[in-house]
Amino acid sequence: MTTQAVSGALKGPGNNGGRLFSGTATDGAYTAINSTTGAAELGFAMRGQVVDNVALAYSAGSALWVIRNRVTQQIDRAGMCFKTGTVSPDGYPCRPITINQNHILQIYSLAAGTTYLAWVWFAGKPPELFNSTIADGATGSLVTTAAAGSQDLGSFADQTVSSIKVQAPDGKVVSYSRILDRNGAEQYAALGSERSSTGGYPKSGSENLCTGQIAFSVMRGMDLQLTVAA
C-alpha cells in the first residue's frame, strides 16, 4: 500500500493553546497521527484542552481526519484535510470538543485517482464515511466503505441527514450531488465545485461540496449520487 506525509495543527479558543501533529498515513486506511514534539497521542498531548480548529495537510490525492475515542471507537469529530500548500490561514473550524485521554487523531487518505470521499452526518449520530470511484464526466453512487459494508443511503432509512460534505481527488471537479428515491425521482440536489488552490475561505481548499445544515429524511431505496466533470 502507498503512504504519504501528513502534518498540521490543532488549536482551541482563548487560552487553550495548540499543538503540531505529523506522521505518515497509509492510503486506504485510518492512520493515527501523533504530536510532532514527543510523538504523543492526541489524548495525552492535549488532554483537557478545547479544540475548535483542525488544519491538516496531505501530500497528494485526498484525505479526511477524525477525532476518535479509541475505547468506544466512536468518531467524535470529523472533517477534511487540505493539500500541502493550500491550507487556509483560518484553518478548518469544527464544533468545539474537550479532549480526553482516550482521544486519538486519525487520517484516512487516498493516493491520487478517481475515488471520491464524503462525510454524511445523521442527526444524533456520528458521521458515516461514504465513497465512490467515478470516471471523469460520469455519475456514481456513494456508499459506505467496504469495511463498513458498502451500504447505500437507503440502508439508513428512517434516519435524518443533517449534512453532507464531499472531497474529490486533487484537480477533480464535483458538478453536483443528488438524492434519488427508489423510483429514480430527484428528492434533493446540491452544486459542487473544484477545490481552491490558494488557501482562501477556510473550507474551500478542502471541500468540493457542502450542503450546510439540512434535515432530510431518508427512505428505503434512496440513492446518493455524485456527478463529476469531464
Side-chain angles (χ1 to χ4, degrees), residues 67-114:
I67 294 176
R68 187 192 299 272
N69 187 305
R70 61 189 170 99
V71 175
T72 66
Q73 290 299 301
Q74 178 172 299
I75 294 174
D76 289 335
R77 295 293 184 273
M80 295 175 169
C81 304
F82 300 82
K83 184 177 182 179
T84 298
T86 70
V87 178
S88 167
D90 294 323
Y92 190 102
C94 67
R95 188 159 55 89
I97 178 173
T98 300
I99 302 300
N100 67 53
Q101 65 180 14
N102 293 324
H103 279 137
I104 56 174
L105 175 65
Q106 292 182 315
I107 300 292
Y108 185 92
S109 61
L110 293 176
T114 59

Side-chain angles (χ1 to χ4, degrees), residues 8-21:
L10 278 67
K11 61 182 181 179
N15 196 36
N16 277 279
R19 294 288 299 271
L20 296 175
F21 286 76

Side-chain angles (χ1 to χ4, degrees), residues 105-184:
L105 175 65
Q106 292 182 315
I107 300 292
Y108 185 92
S109 61
L110 293 176
T114 59
T115 299
Y116 293 71
L117 299 173
W119 283 122
V120 179
W121 277 265
F122 296 96
K125 296 181 179 296
E128 294 283 347
L129 176 57
F130 281 60
N131 66 173
S132 183
T133 299
I134 308 172
D136 293 347
T139 296
S141 296
L142 289 163
V143 297
T144 60
T145 60
S150 300
Q151 301 177 84
D152 62 13
L153 183 65
S155 300
F156 296 87
D158 301 323
Q159 297 191 43
T160 300
V161 175
S162 58
S163 183
I164 301 170
K165 296 181 179 182
V166 176
Q167 185 181 87
D170 299 335
K172 303 293 185 180
V173 179
V174 173
S175 298
Y176 54 84
S177 178
R178 300 193 301 167
I179 296 177
L180 307 182
D181 65 18
R182 67 194 316 164
N183 298 314

Side-chain angles (χ1 to χ4, degrees), residues 19 36 47 49-50 79 109 115 132 136 148 188 204 214 224:
R19 294 288 299 271
T36 302
R47 183 171 58 181
Q49 294 177 244
V50 175
S109 61
T115 299
S132 183
D136 293 347
Y188 180 84
S204 62
I214 59 176
L224 174 58

